[in-house]
């Protein structure tokens, strides 16, 4: 049998594991109300969504208004390897670090949240999560809060 000749091999492609869907949401939460129209310009990136605190509902548990926010979504990746997602996050934060830092300083109290979403498509099929020192340094220098959300999206 020749290499690459799968006519004699019994391969069932439907049996291959389904990789999870990976993406990231980068949010800046603001606990004061202000005109947010200049945030995209200051940061250097266009948000997917911006909401002022005055537009938010009251949190029924805390009995306070939820914070306003600036939100950006990365591309979605269907992979067992998180490296492409982590590179995109690091590039976003590194290239626009001055803008993020300026906004976080100017509009205190505020916080930078980085939410990594892992949507598992098949039971037991999880990605490899390995953070480079570079991305951890970037997140740390901006005072970012990092969380990883894993959900079973298969059933």
């Amino acid at each position: 049998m020749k290499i690459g000749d799968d006519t004699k091999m019994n391969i069932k492609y439907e049996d291959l594991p389904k990789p999870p869907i990976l993406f990231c949401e980068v949010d800046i939460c603001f606990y004061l109300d202000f005109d947010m129209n200049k945030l995209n310009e200051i940061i250097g990136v266009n948000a997917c969504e911006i909401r002022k605190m005055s537009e938010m509902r009251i949190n029924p548990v805390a009995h306070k208004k939820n914070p306003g926010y600036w939100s950006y979504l990365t591309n979605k990746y269907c992979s067992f390897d998180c490296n492409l997602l982590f590179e995109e996050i690091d590039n976003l934060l590194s290239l626009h670090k001055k803008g993020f830092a300026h906004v976080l300083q100017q509009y205190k109290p505020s916080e930078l949240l980085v939410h990594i979403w892992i949507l598992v498509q098949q039971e037991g099929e999880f990605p490899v999560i390995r953070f480079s020192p570079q991305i951890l340094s970037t997140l740390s220098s901006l005072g970012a809060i990092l969380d990883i959300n894993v959900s079973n999206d298969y059933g």
Side-chain angles (χ1 to χ4, degrees), residues 42-106:
I42 295 169
I43 295 170
V45 175
N46 289 328
C48 296
E49 189 173 8
I50 298 175
R51 293 281 173 115
K52 292 166 66 173
M53 191 169 172
S54 61
E55 299 171 347
M56 302 304 294
R57 294 181 177 183
I58 293 177
N59 182 318
V61 176
H63 303 290
K64 296 180 188 176
K65 276 225 178 219
N66 285 322
Y69 60 88
W70 177 97
S71 183
Y72 176 85
L73 288 174
T74 65
N75 292 309
K76 290 184 178 181
Y77 299 92
C78 191
S79 176
F80 288 108
D81 186 354
C82 293
N83 284 342
L84 287 176
L85 175 64
F86 292 169
E87 285 175 23
E88 183 177 351
I89 297 166
D90 192 47
N91 286 338
L92 170 75
L93 297 176
S94 295
L95 291 172
H96 304 284
K97 188 174 181 177
K98 286 182 182 178
F100 279 110
H102 180 80
V103 165
L104 291 166
Q105 180 65 36
Q106 183 172 341

Side-chain angles (χ1 to χ4, degrees), residues 13-40:
Y13 292 102
E14 64 270 4
D15 292 341
L16 294 175
K18 293 180 184 175
I21 297 170
L22 315 167
F23 65 97
C24 179
E25 182 179 1
V26 177
D27 298 322
I28 304 175
C29 292
F30 301 99
Y31 299 92
L32 296 173
D33 220 12
F34 61 94
D35 181 12
M36 298 175 125
N37 291 329
K38 294 190 183 221
L39 291 180
N40 288 340

Side-chain angles (χ1 to χ4, degrees), residues 86-155:
F86 292 169
E87 285 175 23
E88 183 177 351
I89 297 166
D90 192 47
N91 286 338
L92 170 75
L93 297 176
S94 295
L95 291 172
H96 304 284
K97 188 174 181 177
K98 286 182 182 178
F100 279 110
H102 180 80
V103 165
L104 291 166
Q105 180 65 36
Q106 183 172 341
Y107 298 104
K108 285 183 177 180
S110 59
E111 58 188 349
L112 177 62
L113 306 165
V114 177
H115 308 281
I116 295 173
W117 293 92
I118 300 170
L119 308 179
V120 178
Q121 301 297 301
Q122 184 177 352
E123 187 173 359
E125 299 298 338
F126 300 98
V128 174
I129 301 173
R130 224 179 349 231
F131 292 101
S132 70
Q134 180 179 334
I135 191 170
L136 293 174
S137 174
T138 302
L139 292 167
S140 177
S141 69
L142 289 167
I145 297 169
L146 171 66
D147 66 28
I148 300 172
N149 303 282
V150 180
S151 71
N152 296 329
D153 214 37
Y154 54 85

